[in-house]
Amino acid sequence: GLVAQDKLYRQDPDVVCRRVATEIFLVPIRQNVREVGLFTMNEVAAFVWDRLDGRHTLEDLVSAVVEEFDVAADTARRDIDTLLAKLFKIGSIREN
């Protein structure tokens, strides 16, 4: 996948996570990200988002998701890889 195993990722400070009822959104708070619109996340994506603090590698994230959601490591890795690629594309995460 696109995501390097040993890189550390962090949230862009111009994007915030908002929960509305059962929906979880990423909301850009600066003007030039507005074309992204709202990025909807499920519980797993939000769980990963909360750990994008610049201190966790892809494997750290995979381990945490496997433990929390009881999924296979390869499934978790594929899902996280896809998620991080999307987050990069909309400019909501950065490499540390």
Side-chain angles (χ1 to χ4, degrees):
L2 167 138
V3 181
Q5 300 284 336
D6 56 347
K7 291 250 174 64
L8 298 170
Y9 300 96
R10 62 185 169 86
Q11 302 167 3
D12 188 291
D14 293 321
V15 180
V16 294
C17 185
R18 292 274 177 268
R19 288 172 184 263
V20 181
T22 57
E23 300 277 27
I24 308 160
F25 302 100
L26 287 184
V27 184
I29 54 177
R30 65 168 190 257
Q31 298 305 332
N32 61 339
V33 209
R34 188 176 288 157
E35 68 275 7
V36 166
L38 295 177
F39 183 85
T40 311
M41 298 194 291
N42 61 20
E43 285 293 337
V44 178
F47 179 86
V48 171
W49 172 260
D50 288 342
R51 281 152 186 78
L52 295 175
D53 56 4
R55 297 197 301 266
H56 295 87
T57 64
L58 177 63
E59 288 308 309
D60 294 335
L61 297 171
V62 169
S63 299
V65 167
V66 165
E67 196 171 309
E68 181 74 14
F69 295 97
D70 195 27
V71 295
D74 54 345
T75 303
R77 190 174 295 106
R78 189 170 55 245
D79 290 352
I80 293 168
D81 197 62
T82 301
L83 172 67
L84 294 183
K86 285 180 187 168
L87 293 175
F88 258 119
K89 189 175 179 187
I90 64 171
S92 61
I93 60 171
R94 302 174 179 181
E95 285 182 6
N96 212 22

